[in-house]
Amino acid sequence: WELDYPIQGVLVDFRMLRGAIAVAALAATADAFVASSSAGGLLLRSHAPSSHVSAVRQAPAPLGGVACNAESRDECGAPSGRRDFGRLLAGVAAAGALGTPLAAFAAKDALVCKAKANNGAAMGGTVCEGVEELKFKRAYETKGSATKLTGPKDKLSTFYSQINAGYLTLVDLDERWDAYNDSGDGDVIRRRIGTVGSKSPLHNIRKVFEGAVKSVAKRPEVKAEELDELDDLFNSLLESIAQIDYNAYSTAFVGTQEVATTLRGEAKKALGKALTQYKRFLEILTPLNEEAVA
């Protein structure tokens, strides 16, 4: 039925009003949650070293487009009359039309991996939607059978961008591990670590690590112990990546889901180890980088 309560000169259907109130309450609750995080911003890369430039996602504007500070949030969070209530409903409608305030976050972060059909059969591998594409400069470029450096071999900056992107790729894999594994296809993980395909910054990363260590080997500010640690770190890091690859690859050849789950657990452990090693590797290299992160 109709509720005889005019908003902007019209009668409102009760069911529509009830639905609008529910949506408004949900949005207001979510807005309050976002606002309470990190004093107005969410850090996207919480695991990255403190010296890295982190991408910050700003909290969205409140419904209705009117700012509300922490002290007055309780005051302006709820409508006090017909005009405020109408403005709130209008804000909900505008937010829905623009995909804000929280839908944009969900859409950006949503990761779905599913089997890709091939001629009607599910044998075309797996496609993942929502994978973040990092922008970075590769240390080497390949044209035909020839491979050459993209910068001076004695400059860490030639190698740093790809190394840094490799770390962020592992951070993303760790943060969204379950989503990447939802399809049950181990090659999804292997593409992220660069052992299947060539898009990952971790593809052929050994050569990049070696080039980076050599580029700083003769720098007077680098101690002999640090060089030894860098050498040990990148070799143990490559072993950890190999363990992730081995366990992810093996999931395709086991007979039970229980064994596959165990293998994924071993791969996750190796990933945690790799992140610890990689973080330390970057902690040593980052102060030596001649340029800002690309």
Side-chain angles (χ1 to χ4, degrees):
W1 36 247
E2 293 179 336
L3 175 66
D4 189 10
Y5 187 57
I7 297 178
Q8 297 180 353
V10 297
L11 291 177
V12 180
D13 183 85
F14 181 75
R15 288 168 297 181
M16 292 178 62
L17 179 60
R18 183 175 57 185
I21 293 172
V23 172
L26 178 61
T29 301
D31 179 51
F33 172 77
V34 172
S36 66
S37 301
S38 304
L42 298 176
L43 284 179
L44 179 60
R45 290 283 173 257
S46 57
H47 296 285
S50 58
S51 55
H52 287 192
V53 179
S54 298
V56 178
R57 241 181 296 168
Q58 297 297 329
L63 292 175
V66 180
C68 179
N69 58 40
E71 290 78 7
S72 63
R73 177 165 296 278
D74 289 337
E75 249 179 30
C76 60
S80 58
R82 286 180 292 177
R83 180 176 299 176
D84 289 341
F85 190 61
R87 186 186 299 117
L88 181 59
L89 292 182
V92 171
L98 296 174
T100 58
L102 296 177
F105 290 160
K108 184 174 182 179
D109 288 344
L111 176 68
V112 179
C113 296
K114 55 187 177 182
K116 181 172 60 176
N118 184 19
N119 295 328
M123 297 182 63
T126 301
V127 60
C128 290
E129 300 173 356
V131 178
E132 182 181 2
E133 297 295 335
L134 294 173
K135 293 181 179 180
F136 65 95
K137 183 186 74 174
R138 289 193 179 273
Y140 293 89
E141 62 180 5
T142 303
K143 292 184 178 180
S145 58
T147 301
K148 67 176 185 178
L149 279 169
T150 58
K153 66 179 181 181
D154 59 344
K155 295 287 187 181
L156 175 58
S157 56
T158 300
F159 309 94
Y160 188 88
S161 179
Q162 185 171 346
I163 291 173
N164 184 66
Y167 176 73
L168 294 179
T169 297
L170 289 186
V171 169
D172 174 68
L173 180 59
D174 180 62
E175 290 176 347
R176 305 198 284 182
W177 178 261
D178 290 340
Y180 279 115
N181 279 282
D182 273 351
S183 67
D185 185 355
D187 279 354
V188 170
I189 305 300
R190 300 176 71 212
R191 286 190 187 95
R192 298 303 288 156
I193 62 174
T195 54
V196 169
S198 59
K199 290 184 178 180
S200 171
L202 292 166
H203 179 65
N204 287 339
I205 197 66
R206 173 189 288 276
K207 199 172 182 178
V208 183
F209 285 156
E210 289 175 345
V213 173
K214 288 179 181 178
S215 74
V216 300
K218 295 182 180 179
R219 300 264 289 267
E221 68 269 36
V222 181
K223 300 176 182 179
E225 308 86 66
E226 288 178 317
L227 282 176
D228 290 340
E229 187 178 4
L230 283 171
D231 193 62
D232 291 340
L233 279 169
F234 95 70
N235 280 295
S236 56
L237 175 53
L238 290 171
E239 290 177 9
S240 296
I241 292 175
Q243 283 296 312
I244 301 171
D245 179 65
Y246 171 78
N247 284 288
Y249 176 75
S250 298
T251 59
F253 302 98
V254 295
T256 66
Q257 187 59 40
E258 183 179 358
V259 176
T261 300
T262 299
L263 289 170
R264 292 189 190 101
E266 291 300 312
K268 186 68 161 59
K269 288 180 185 177
L271 174 58
K273 196 172 178 181
L275 279 169
T276 300
Q277 295 159 341
Y278 214 139
K279 182 177 179 180
R280 177 56 186 156
F281 190 70
L282 276 172
E283 284 174 348
I284 299 174
L285 286 183
T286 299
L288 303 172
N289 186 29
E290 301 89 353
E291 299 176 4
V293 179

